[in-house]
Amino acid sequence: MDDFPPQPTEQSPPPPPPNQTGSPTDFLKNVVGKKVIVRLLSGVDYRGILSCLDGYMNIALEQTEEHVNGVVTNKYGDAFIRGNNVLYISAAEPL
Amino acid sequence: MQLIFSVFKTLTDQTVTVELKNDLSITGVLKSVDQFLNIRLDNIKVSDENRHPHMMAVKNCFIRGSVVRYVQLPAEHVDTQLLEDATRRGVFCIRGSPSGC
Amino acid sequence: MEPAVASGIQEPFDLIRLSLSERVFVKLRGDRELSGILHAYDGHMNLILSDVEETVMIVDTESNQTINYAKRKWEMLFVRGDGVILVSPPSRS
């Protein structure tokens, strides 16, 4: 009973490069204030500047364009998107 | 989350029209509502009876909150200023509701 | 929290709060759109609107083209939040 399983050695984990990899939360923090594409489950895209978002993925966008099948179908100064409709948020400019 | 619940409670005994997600519209007297916004209606009348003939004999009903799309409210019994103030303050119950505050 | 971009809003619901007593545009599931004056909302995006006009897009499934609009109006309307896709306030200039 003195045979302990080997402990994970404290080798220095590579520090994550700032702003690049990291958790989904880090991604979201970095993308606030940037141009993003929000795709909804319906396939509709919203392109705009991400003002902010909350834990439900409710999203506030500025200067928003609605794209359906690649065609701009609407423009909004501000838009609140209810989080349950969101499929993904994608950065539309380099972070 | 209680604000809308309180609004419906103040509308008890008023006539409302509930439109369901399956497009069925039911007008009736609001008898009660709960925290899920389930609704009990009395003296009901279905708007398009030709399309829903099976509803003609139904006099009252319980509507599960989740199937509701819209509720048309009697505007004269809705104090919009009070609603806006309560919403801004994040107050989740309003004066005149039976629950009191 | 991050300072919000050029607008002073910290969370998405601030956008909606600033729209109270203003006319808002609401996009709903089922190809529906509403325009109405916002009087109340909650965390589910349940809404109470007045002077509401609904536009239902009737889409031809074959060609996928919008072929018709149906319009309705109400004086005061409760909208259940689970159908809401998007709310757009009047433009703040």
Side-chain angles (χ1 to χ4, degrees):
Chain A
M1 288 310 236
D2 49 11
D3 222 8
F4 292 103
Q7 295 291 315
T9 51
E10 270 310 313
Q11 286 176 336
S12 58
N19 287 348
Q20 284 299 329
T21 59
S23 65
T25 311
D26 292 337
F27 170 78
L28 291 176
K29 278 184 183 164
N30 288 326
V31 87
V32 169
K34 302 288 201 322
K35 281 188 190 168
V36 295
I37 303 165
V38 177
R39 170 153 298 184
L40 305 191
L41 298 168
S42 60
V44 177
D45 281 351
Y46 291 92
R47 291 166 160 267
I49 298 168
L50 180 63
S51 303
C52 56
L53 72 175
D54 66 16
Y56 296 104
M57 280 229 199
N58 294 323
I59 292 171
L61 287 178
E62 296 177 10
Q63 302 168 34
T64 311
E65 286 179 353
E66 179 183 81
H67 292 245
V68 180
N69 302 322
V71 182
V72 178
T73 47
N74 241 325
K75 292 187 179 186
Y76 310 105
D78 290 293
F80 172 102
I81 299 171
R82 197 175 189 264
N84 67 308
N85 301 293
V86 174
L87 179 62
Y88 65 67
I89 303 168
S90 156
E93 62 176 309
L95 296 183
Chain B
M1 300 306 156
Q2 297 284 74
L3 172 65
I4 305 272
F5 175 38
S6 305
V7 173
F8 277 108
K9 281 199 286 190
T10 64
L11 294 173
T12 304
D13 294 322
Q14 303 296 333
T15 299
V16 298
T17 300
V18 181
E19 180 171 316
L20 310 186
K21 289 184 174 129
N22 67 359
D23 292 334
L24 180 60
S25 279
I26 307 169
T27 303
V29 178
L30 180 64
K31 289 320 287 182
S32 64
V33 63
D34 66 15
Q35 55 167 329
F36 305 110
L37 307 185
N38 297 321
I39 289 172
R40 238 167 33 86
L41 292 183
D42 259 6
N43 283 321
I44 66 166
K45 180 129 178 71
V46 168
S47 305
D48 188 354
E49 289 203 321
N50 296 327
R51 218 155 63 92
H52 308 279
H54 59 289
M55 292 294 292
M56 282 175 68
V58 185
K59 290 286 165 275
N60 60 75
C61 64
F62 174 96
I63 301 169
R64 187 176 153 98
S66 62
V67 304
V68 171
R69 178 187 292 138
Y70 303 136
V71 184
Q72 293 168 239
L73 309 174
E76 65 276 18
H77 291 104
V78 177
D79 184 339
T80 55
Q81 191 59 55
L82 184 63
L83 282 184
E84 290 168 21
D85 292 346
T87 304
R88 269 196 203 95
R89 292 198 313 263
V91 171
F92 293 133
C93 51
I94 59 174
R95 271 177 304 157
S97 75
S99 68
C101 289
Chain C
M1 290 302 293
E2 321 301 311
V5 200
S7 58
I9 63 171
Q10 266 95 51
E11 56 167 55
F13 277 107
D14 291 349
L15 208 58
I16 307 302
R17 190 163 38 82
L18 291 168
S19 312
L20 279 169
S21 78
E22 307 269 7
R23 185 164 287 277
V24 294
F25 169 88
V26 183
K27 200 173 158 69
L28 296 171
R29 288 165 176 251
D31 299 310
R32 288 163 201 274
E33 295 178 355
L34 300 176
S35 163
I37 296 166
L38 180 67
H39 298 294
Y41 65 87
D42 65 13
H44 298 110
M45 280 314 273
N46 293 320
L47 308 171
I48 294 177
L49 303 171
S50 71
D51 192 17
V52 192
E53 182 173 74
E54 179 203 51
T55 308
V56 186
M57 263 68 68
I58 297 152
V59 179
D60 179 19
T61 44
E62 306 245 321
S63 64
N64 215 22
Q65 303 246 305
T66 304
I67 55 165
N68 218 340
Y69 299 92
K71 289 198 186 273
R72 294 188 290 175
K73 288 186 179 192
W74 300 282
E75 209 177 340
M76 190 68 67
L77 189 72
F78 162 80
V79 180
R80 191 165 165 98
D82 57 5
V84 172
I85 296 173
L86 175 144
V87 180
S88 181
S91 57
R92 290 174 289 138
S93 43

